[in-house]
């Protein structure tokens, strides 16, 4: 069983502070970092035991990739799932481009991987990413409450569009945030769900179960072994270009202004601009420029 600590996150991916200050502009260093990450994913895919991902909170970026390398995933309904790469200067090439479409199909995978808009646990379950979702919020009387931020009381709207698992918006979102403030998180139901699943696995033949999962994993492994090394090389080289802009914008920027000026970047590249420090400075949000320049000067 693989899980994170606490009740906020399973794993949210790489350390953006390190990405912005240590790895940006140092592709060889990042390649070694990705060697460790790739080996971790490979170890999960080759594990002789069934691997269960206990999703105790956000599963984003590299966390999503590690989670999808597992055989089973059980989540609290407070968890969220997705990527951050193309919005912050990278590509989800640590496993998500290999695995996600096997779970949810090409269309939903392309949407999640490119647009980086996180899914609720309810939506991830509906699309096939998870084996079970359990309510983990409790009110003041200890009664379970579904995640108030997520639509779970209906499957479709009046026009027939599927809305189950969507994040609430507008006034409904504001009311949900107020409701959330009066709730506490209790992961006991998540642990009970993990116990149920592992108990079911206990009552199977061990070698037959191992062979079943070994055969099923071949679909992941074929993609992973075909792409992981070239992806590692590209991700390292990308530390000289888009990652060198995206991660400083996120790390040094201030909410909600933590993304580069994408329109200016695309226009300048179309004009033939070099991807150098001048271009990075031009597209960084104003609040991020000072911190970025200080990190470059070593002050």
């Amino acid at each position: 069983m693989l899980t994170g600590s606490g009740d906020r996150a399973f794993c949210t991916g790489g350390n953006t502070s390190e990405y912005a200050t240590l790895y940006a502009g140092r592709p060889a260093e990042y390649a070694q970092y990705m060697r460790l990450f790739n080996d971790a994913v490979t170890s999960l895919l080759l594990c002789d035991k069934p691997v269960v991902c206990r999703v105790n909170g956000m599963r984003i970026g590299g966390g999503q990739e590690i989670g999808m390398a597992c055989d089973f995933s059980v989540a609290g309904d407070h968890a969220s799932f997705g990527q951050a790469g193309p919005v912050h200067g990278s590509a989800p090439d640590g496993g998500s481009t290999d695995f996600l479409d096997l779970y949810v199909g090409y269309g939903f995978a392309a949407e999640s991987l490119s647009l980086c808009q996180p899914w609720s646990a309810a939506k991830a379950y509906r699309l096939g990413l998870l084996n079970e979702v359990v309510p983990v919020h409790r009110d003041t009387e200890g009664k379970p409450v579904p995640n108030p931020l997520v639509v779970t009381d209906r499957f479709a709207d009046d026009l027939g569009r599927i809305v189950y698992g969507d994040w609430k918006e507008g006034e409904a979102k504001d009311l949900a945030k107020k409701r959330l403030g009066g709730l506490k998180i209790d992961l006991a139901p998540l642990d009970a769900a993990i116990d149920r699943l592992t108990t079911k696995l206990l009552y199977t033949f061990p070698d037959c179960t191992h062979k079943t999962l070994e055969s099923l994993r071949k679909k992941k492994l074929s993609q992973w072994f075909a792409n992981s090394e070239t992806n590692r090389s590209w991700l390292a080289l990308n530390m000289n270009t888009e990652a060198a802009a995206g991660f400083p914008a996120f790390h040094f920027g201030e909410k909600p202004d933590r993304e580069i000026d994408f329109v200016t970047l695309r226009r300048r590249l179309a004009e033939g601009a070099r991807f150098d420090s001048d271009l990075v400075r031009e597209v960084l949000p104003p609040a991020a420029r000072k911190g970025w320049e200080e990190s470059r000067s070593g002050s």
Side-chain angles (χ1 to χ4, degrees):
M1 192 267 289
L2 185 65
T3 191
S5 62
D7 58 21
R8 295 186 61 188
F10 165 74
C11 176
T12 58
N15 186 324
T16 56
S17 174
E18 291 183 353
Y19 282 26
T21 61
L22 176 61
Y23 296 127
R26 297 182 178 93
E29 289 289 331
Y30 191 71
Q32 294 307 306
Y33 163 84
M34 283 303 299
R35 162 59 62 222
L36 299 175
F37 182 88
N38 281 9
D39 288 350
V41 173
T42 300
S43 295
L44 292 171
L45 292 170
L46 297 179
C47 184
D48 288 336
K49 299 284 189 178
V51 184
V52 179
C53 181
R54 173 185 178 270
V55 191
N56 57 307
M58 292 183 289
R59 197 173 90 174
I60 303 293
Q64 173 80 311
E65 293 167 326
I66 292 171
M68 288 191 293
C70 300
D71 301 304
F72 305 91
S73 289
V74 180
D77 68 348
H78 68 316
S80 55
F81 301 80
Q83 299 299 145
V87 172
H88 296 297
S90 189
D93 268 349
S96 284
T97 51
D98 297 308
F99 307 148
L100 186 57
D101 64 304
L102 296 176
Y103 287 94
V104 303
Y106 185 90
F108 287 117
E111 177 184 315
S112 175
L113 300 178
S114 300
L115 302 182
C116 305
Q117 296 174 341
W119 292 334
S120 70
K123 184 169 183 176
Y125 176 72
R126 173 169 65 81
L127 296 179
L129 186 61
L130 306 175
N131 296 94
E132 186 176 356
V133 174
V134 295
V136 296
H137 294 91
R138 295 288 182 270
D139 63 16
T140 55
E141 297 179 352
K143 296 180 180 179
V145 177
N147 188 340
L149 297 173
V150 180
V151 177
T152 56
D153 59 349
R154 62 191 187 281
F155 185 76
D157 65 13
D158 294 339
L159 297 177
R161 296 171 297 191
I162 297 174
V163 296
Y164 181 85
D166 286 356
W167 300 107
K168 293 179 181 177
E169 299 179 348
E171 182 179 353
K173 179 179 178 181
D174 294 337
L175 292 173
K177 286 184 175 181
K178 292 181 180 180
R179 173 69 166 141
L180 194 64
L183 305 177
K184 66 176 183 178
I185 292 179
D186 176 14
L187 296 185
L190 177 60
D191 292 330
I194 295 291
D195 286 344
R196 288 194 299 272
L197 174 59
T198 54
T199 300
K200 291 177 182 178
L201 288 169
L202 173 65
Y203 287 94
T204 63
F205 281 101
D207 284 347
C208 293
T209 299
H210 172 256
K211 181 58 177 72
T212 297
L213 294 175
E214 184 180 61
S215 295
L216 186 62
R217 290 171 181 170
K218 289 178 182 179
K219 301 174 182 65
K220 294 181 183 178
L221 284 165
S222 64
Q223 293 298 109
W224 177 247
F225 284 142
N227 299 321
S228 58
E229 284 305 296
T230 54
N231 286 348
R232 182 174 77 102
S233 296
W234 182 90
L235 288 167
L237 291 174
N238 183 57
M239 280 293 169
N240 281 330
T241 54
E242 293 183 353
F247 288 117
F250 181 82
H251 177 61
F252 295 115
E254 298 176 356
K255 293 183 179 180
D257 193 17
R258 302 177 76 180
E259 297 175 7
I260 68 159
D261 184 339
F262 291 109
V263 174
T264 296
L265 175 66
R266 289 176 177 272
R267 175 177 56 80
R268 295 287 288 119
L269 291 176
E271 294 169 352
R274 293 180 180 274
F275 214 119
D276 55 18
S277 58
D278 290 334
L279 180 59
V280 172
R281 184 180 295 104
E282 185 177 353
V283 301
L284 281 176
R289 290 172 189 162
K290 181 180 179 181
W292 173 74
E293 289 173 348
E294 289 177 349
S295 72
R296 285 169 54 82
S297 64
S299 59

